[in-house]
Amino acid sequence: MFLSMNWIQDFVDLSGLDKIELIRKFSLSTAEVENDILRKGSEISGIVVGEIKSVENHPDSKKLHLLKIDAGEDELIDVVCGAPNVRVGLKTAFAKVGAKIGEITITPRALAGFTSNGMCCSEAEIGISDDNSGIMEITDDVKNGTDLKDIYEIDDIVFEVDNKSLTNRPDLWGHYGIAREFAALAGRELKPFDLDDLKAYDGLKKIDMKIEDTLCQRYSCLQIENINRNVSPVNMRIRLFYCGMRAINYLADLTNYLMLEMGQPMHAFDSRKVEKIRIKRFDKPFTFKTLDGVERNIDENTLMICNGNTPVAIAGIMGGLDSEIVDDTTTLTLESATFNAVSVRKSTVRLAHRTDASMRYEKCLDPEMTVTAIARFVYLLKKYDSDIKVVSSLTDEYAFRYDTVVLDFDKNFVDRYTGIEISNDRIVATLESLGFKVELNNDNFSVTVPSWRATKDVTIKADIIEEITRIYGYDNFEIHTTRSPLYPVRASVVKTTENKIKDMLVKRYNLHELHSYVWAYNDELKAIDIPVEDNVKLANATNPNIETLRNSIVPTQLCQIKSNLSFSNDFGIFEIGRVVNGLDENGLCIENKKLAITLYSKTRNVKDIYFELRDILAVVTDEIKHKALTFEKAEPTHSYEHPVNLYSVCLDGRNIGTIGIVHPTVNKKIDKKAAIVFAEIDVNAYANTEAAPIVYDEPSKFPPMDYDISVEVPQGMFFSHLAECWKNEGGEILKSTKIVDTYDTDTVHSVTIRFEFSSNERTLSSAEVQKIMDKIISNLSENGVKLRG
């Protein structure tokens, strides 16, 4: 947002002060000033008021004219000019020989056989507007030869404030609010607005107006007739142009002027087209043509200003083309209102149309400002068009009021927060200069927050500390170390478990940790043939590619695998992130934290990396929980899961995740020559499983005895099922069992199991070990497991 120091000085006397230094203080205390500070008008000189005394057509050109200009000197000056609006008696901006316009110095110049001793300028050439349709027209009451800078506010200092730094300050979206800040920083008085007395019209009829929707907080309006002026005063046009707006016509310019001055958007309707004002929403969508000539789709959530049942404006955003002010408008209905900020912001997103007005309404404007803005409008309208006539009383409906905010604190509170000594008088003076009402009783303060700061800004006592310290000046603080007690914070079980898992996966298994967003990326998933599953969606998502929240991290990782194929022929990735599984009874997302691991290889087969992933999970669990994982056959619930070799991962008999192979159709889309496996674990369920105590067994001094058997295992039988056959056999001397070898054909699945026997009391005999093994082999046979010959 661009701001004019000339405009600010309408409300606070800054004479004798370094204005550039004041802007720097404003940037440090209030809002960030962007880019360079512009000294408008410094690039021009020598431009005066010149009167055209004669006009002759150029003998060889239909466009050029030969003029004689009275520039207040003894002799008339010959000038060649091609402007279409030249005429005898017109006073215009004349750049004499020696004048400067930017980097150009005016010199006598031959044009089409005649010498031009100067230049008649348009407003655009001078740099005070974008009007280049003809030379500037100046009123007759100005003396010829008068320097243009003596009659118009061409010299100015303009600076730009970062809009993001004003998000929580709706009062700073106009020059008056900025002037209040400058007054506080400079210790000068803030001047009040010059306003018209609206009570003088109380006896007139009211406008037929009604708020029919709670999204409208306050609506004030007034009707005015006999408007004769169409072009805005030059200084008004200059200020609008310097602040980034173009002049349109007097009434439109005046509403824009007040928006930039007060931060309160206003709208003027042609009264011939608006008779009965209703503020409401419609049940069905429809199209509506706005002032910019664009047909916009209006839905049932968009608040509209209507003439009866006919929409004439989108509330808080833009007026309609059919009710706009035109050149022959002499009667207007003036609107000044506030609307629900969230509603305006959502409407701008749906319409993909943001305006200067909507940017201000989105910031929670002060409803108390609507009537003041109308009084200011009427004052300025009368100032420049004295014959206007107000033909209605102020019609005002106040549907929503913000609560008055009163904050009580003591001097010790200020001292404790600031760490410096600021006197009571300084605190009171600072707060009152910013518009706060302060009552002081001994060292106790009771501060009433002004309405323009109470809509969303100052709500707690700490906010008052910020107001005091920023005006005091952060650069005036003494630098010293604060004294604050520090207490150790024990990390949660879940966080500790996460860190242990990450350390093992990175340091031991060389996996790469990635971080991703919680969206299900529609385009990326479609490219690998994974449909986005139905889940919680973002309302009014600006990008349909990310409108759905993911319910699994694995699809995200498969997209990451595809985008990193050139990285290596073999790699693994993991992430501990969040997924969403629907909504709870309060309409809030049910979030879960998951660990996802995906392995990719072009050099090894799927079996090898599948068992590698299984071993990773088993080893991590053994070291962290000191427990063994078990696996149970699972049915696919996602399209990326291969139904073969998809298993549930169980800990303490509780299902905590899945391990599987990527479905062939997805695998082919990623890399048909590679093997890809995945696992996904519920981190909270895993972390909250109690770890088993570590038990140490004293090694036996007697020699152990190993016994190996090779068995053919039926299809679908797990090692855990085999273990049931020796669970109750062997007593204390059967110390462990493990698979030491496997052998597979198309019809046979064979494993070699090693049984380890030992005793701390004696040396075992072959006979007693054989007796136990015979029983185990018998149990295996009864369960369909036979010895391999």
Side-chain angles (χ1 to χ4, degrees):
M1 182 172 70
F2 288 97
L3 296 156
S4 157
M5 286 299 291
N6 284 345
W7 208 335
I8 290 171
Q9 288 184 105
D10 282 354
F11 307 112
V12 56
D13 180 10
L14 300 178
S15 58
L17 299 177
D18 185 339
K19 297 178 181 61
I20 303 299
E21 179 62 21
L22 264 179
I23 294 172
R24 187 191 72 83
K25 285 185 177 181
F26 174 84
S27 185
L28 291 174
S29 66
T30 307
E32 180 184 353
V33 175
E34 291 188 321
N35 304 322
D36 296 328
I37 297 171
L38 306 175
R39 294 182 178 271
K40 294 287 189 177
S42 61
E43 71 280 5
I44 65 171
S45 64
I47 300 179
V48 300
V49 176
E51 182 180 353
I52 300 175
K53 290 297 186 179
S54 70
V55 178
E56 295 182 11
N57 292 329
H58 192 287
D60 301 321
S61 172
K62 293 182 179 180
K63 179 180 178 181
L64 296 177
H65 301 90
L66 306 178
L67 312 181
K68 289 190 179 293
I69 302 293
D70 179 359
E73 300 179 354
D74 295 335
E75 296 182 359
L76 299 180
I77 302 172
D78 292 324
V79 176
V80 180
C81 180
N85 63 326
V86 294
R87 62 181 183 274
V88 174
L90 172 65
K91 292 192 176 186
T92 188
F94 178 65
K96 301 189 296 183
V97 172
K100 290 186 177 181
I101 303 176
E103 297 180 356
I104 300 173
T105 300
I106 302 299
T107 59
R109 182 182 177 189
L111 290 174
F114 291 84
T115 300
S116 182
N117 296 297
M119 174 182 173
C120 295
C121 304
S122 68
E123 293 183 4
E125 289 168 330
I126 301 172
I128 60 174
S129 84
D130 61 354
D131 184 5
N132 202 28
S133 60
I135 58 176
M136 184 177 180
E137 299 193 13
I138 299 173
T139 55
D140 296 338
D141 57 340
V142 183
K143 184 179 178 182
N144 295 342
T146 306
D147 193 302
L148 226 59
K149 291 185 178 182
D150 292 339
I151 55 175
Y152 301 129
E153 295 178 356
I154 296 175
D155 282 325
D156 198 357
I157 298 174
V158 175
F159 60 99
E160 184 180 6
V161 173
D162 178 14
N163 287 351
K164 295 188 295 296
S165 63
L166 302 179
T167 299
N168 68 320
R169 292 291 304 272
D171 61 305
L172 294 186
W173 283 79
H175 280 76
Y176 193 75
I178 301 291
R180 185 184 293 110
E181 295 288 316
F182 274 89
L185 291 170
R188 300 286 177 90
E189 181 182 355
L190 179 70
K191 301 174 185 177
F193 282 118
D194 290 323
L195 306 173
D196 189 68
D197 182 13
L198 299 182
K199 292 183 179 179
Y201 316 118
D202 284 350
L204 301 176
K205 66 178 180 67
K206 287 187 175 293
I207 297 172
D208 186 358
M209 181 273 292
K210 185 177 180 182
I211 296 176
E212 297 182 357
D213 196 295
T214 56
L215 294 180
C216 180
Q217 298 173 340
R218 188 177 188 181
Y219 197 93
S220 309
C221 53
L222 192 75
Q223 197 170 74
I224 303 169
E225 289 183 352
N226 201 34
I227 300 168
N228 299 309
R229 184 163 190 154
N230 188 46
V231 180
S232 304
V234 175
N235 283 336
M236 181 179 291
R237 301 203 307 271
I238 291 174
R239 287 185 177 183
L240 288 173
F241 182 70
Y242 283 179
C243 293
M245 282 193 168
R246 66 181 183 88
I248 302 171
N249 57 53
Y250 181 43
L251 295 177
D253 292 349
L254 191 52
T255 58
N256 287 333
Y257 186 85
L258 287 187
M259 179 176 67
L260 295 182
E261 182 175 84
M262 306 178 70
Q264 172 65 49
M266 305 176 75
H267 189 72
F269 298 104
D270 190 323
S271 293
R272 296 171 297 183
K273 304 170 184 177
V274 176
E275 298 175 348
K276 186 168 66 173
I277 299 175
R278 297 292 182 267
I279 304 97
K280 60 184 179 180
R281 286 177 283 183
F282 287 83
D283 295 334
K284 296 180 180 179
F286 60 93
T287 59
F288 177 72
K289 184 175 286 189
T290 48
L291 281 171
D292 53 4
V294 177
E295 289 274 359
R296 304 192 183 277
N297 296 317
I298 307 298
D299 65 11
E300 59 274 13
N301 295 313
T302 304
L303 188 66
M304 302 296 294
I305 312 299
C306 304
N307 178 28
N309 287 319
T310 304
V312 293
I314 306 173
I317 300 177
M318 184 175 274
L321 190 63
D322 292 339
S323 62
E324 71 171 330
I325 298 295
V326 291
D327 290 343
D328 65 345
T329 298
T330 59
T331 303
L332 67 85
T333 299
L334 182 65
E335 166 203 287
S336 181
T338 54
F339 308 101
N340 179 277
V342 174
S343 169
V344 173
R345 182 165 59 252
K346 288 183 176 180
S347 294
T348 61
V349 172
R350 289 193 300 271
L351 296 170
H353 185 55
R354 209 159 183 238
T355 62
D356 289 296
S358 69
M359 282 193 295
R360 287 163 172 81
Y361 280 121
E362 290 174 21
K363 307 302 183 292
C364 296
L365 292 183
D366 176 18
E368 295 291 327
M369 189 62 72
T370 62
V371 173
T372 306
I374 289 180
R376 177 69 173 164
F377 183 97
V378 176
Y379 171 83
L380 292 176
L381 193 61
K382 283 183 175 180
K383 181 177 179 180
Y384 299 112
D385 192 358
S386 57
D387 293 332
I388 67 112
K389 182 179 180 182
V390 177
V391 294
S392 79
S393 61
L394 175 70
T395 306
D396 178 36
E397 188 171 344
Y398 206 151
F400 172 84
R401 295 177 185 269
Y402 286 96
D403 295 333
T404 301
V405 179
V406 179
L407 301 172
D408 298 320
F409 56 93
D410 58 17
K411 180 67 162 54
N412 289 333
F413 177 80
V414 178
D415 294 344
R416 186 169 65 254
Y417 261 78
T418 61
I420 57 176
E421 176 65 30
I422 303 177
S423 67
N424 287 348
D425 291 343
R426 181 75 177 268
I427 293 172
V428 172
T430 298
L431 293 176
E432 287 183 344
S433 69
L434 294 171
F436 293 82
K437 181 181 178 182
V438 184
E439 294 182 8
L440 176 61
N441 183 13
N442 295 325
D443 281 345
N444 297 307
F445 297 86
S446 181
V447 175
T448 302
V449 180
S451 60
W452 60 85
R453 299 294 301 277
T455 60
K456 64 178 292 186
D457 183 14
V458 179
T459 56
I460 59 176
K461 293 188 290 185
D463 295 332
I464 296 293
I465 300 299
E466 180 184 357
E467 297 303 302
I468 297 168
T469 53
R470 69 183 182 84
I471 299 300
Y472 180 84
Y474 297 123
D475 49 348
N476 294 324
F477 278 55
E478 293 183 15
I479 300 175
H480 59 83
T481 303
T482 59
R483 296 181 179 180
S484 302
L486 299 177
Y487 301 102
V489 178
R490 185 182 298 277
S492 67
V493 173
V494 174
K495 186 62 179 175
T496 302
T497 304
E498 285 181 29
N499 291 338
K500 290 178 180 179
I501 293 172
K502 290 179 180 180
D503 287 344
M504 291 188 67
L505 295 180
V506 171
K507 295 177 181 178
R508 182 173 299 187
Y509 297 106
N510 297 319
L511 301 188
H512 302 274
E513 182 181 9
L514 301 181
H515 297 280
S516 62
Y517 293 110
V518 74
W519 328 117
Y521 290 92
N522 182 70
D523 295 344
E524 287 82 349
L525 292 176
K526 184 179 180 180
I528 58 174
D529 211 14
I530 299 179
V532 174
E533 298 178 7
D534 188 34
N535 200 13
V536 178
K537 288 181 168 54
L538 296 178
N540 303 318
T542 56
N543 185 350
N545 188 38
I546 56 172
E547 68 175 357
T548 306
L549 302 185
R550 68 186 179 189
N551 57 16
S552 171
I553 303 179
V554 176
T556 303
Q557 293 200 335
L558 295 178
C559 293
Q560 292 167 333
I561 290 286
K562 182 174 177 60
S563 62
N564 285 278
L565 292 179
S566 60
F567 172 74
S568 172
N569 287 332
D570 294 87
F571 63 89
I573 59 176
F574 78 93
E575 178 183 357
I576 295 178
R578 295 188 180 275
V579 301
V580 173
N581 298 103
L583 302 174
D584 62 17
E585 63 276 7
N586 297 317
L588 302 177
C589 289
I590 302 173
E591 293 188 50
N592 292 301
K593 189 173 284 187
K594 300 281 189 176
L595 161 67
I597 305 174
T598 305
L599 303 184
Y600 165 88
S601 179
K602 292 183 71 172
T603 62
R604 294 180 294 163
N605 61 44
V606 70
K607 177 181 176 182
D608 290 341
I609 65 171
Y610 184 83
F611 283 115
E612 179 187 350
L613 180 55
R614 179 206 62 185
D615 292 344
I616 290 174
L617 297 177
V619 172
V620 169
T621 303
D622 183 62
E623 291 213 6
I624 296 177
K625 296 299 181 181
H626 318 303
K627 293 180 176 181
L629 292 175
T630 58
F631 301 88
E632 297 179 358
K633 190 72 176 73
E635 294 298 323
T637 57
H638 302 286
S639 63
Y640 60 81
E641 297 172 333
H642 197 312
V644 178
N645 289 317
L646 179 67
Y647 292 95
S648 297
V649 181
C650 301
L651 181 60
D652 273 358
R654 180 183 179 186
N655 183 356
I656 63 167
T658 56
I659 180 172
I661 301 169
V662 173
H663 196 281
T665 58
V666 177
N667 200 324
K668 183 178 180 181
K669 289 287 186 179
I670 298 174
D671 188 343
K672 62 182 179 181
K673 296 181 179 180
I676 308 173
V677 298
F678 65 86
E680 189 168 42
I681 304 297
D682 188 320
V683 173
N684 289 323
Y686 185 91
N688 292 324
T689 300
E690 187 175 352
I694 300 176
V695 179
Y696 297 93
D697 289 334
E698 180 183 354
S700 174
K701 60 185 178 180
F702 301 100
M705 182 179 295
D706 292 341
Y707 197 114
D708 291 355
I709 61 172
S710 295
V711 295
E712 293 183 12
V713 181
Q715 183 71 26
M717 181 173 285
F718 287 94
F719 185 75
S720 58
H721 299 147
L722 296 177
E724 293 295 324
C725 297
W726 57 78
K727 180 178 180 181
N728 299 318
E729 308 296 338
E732 295 181 356
I733 66 173
L734 179 56
K735 297 299 183 181
S736 67
T737 58
K738 61 181 179 180
I739 296 176
V740 295
D741 194 17
T742 62
Y743 172 75
D744 290 315
T745 69
D746 292 339
T747 58
V748 175
H749 176 57
S750 171
V751 295
T752 300
I753 307 171
R754 176 166 295 165
F755 296 82
E756 181 185 344
F757 297 88
S758 69
S759 172
N760 292 337
E761 309 295 334
R762 55 191 171 79
T763 301
L764 299 176
S765 67
S766 298
E768 63 178 317
V769 170
Q770 186 62 50
K771 182 180 179 180
I772 295 171
M773 288 305 303
D774 289 343
K775 180 61 176 174
I776 292 173
I777 292 170
S778 175
N779 292 342
L780 288 170
S781 178
E782 292 176 1
N783 284 275
V785 181
K786 61 181 181 179
L787 291 177
R788 184 163 60 90

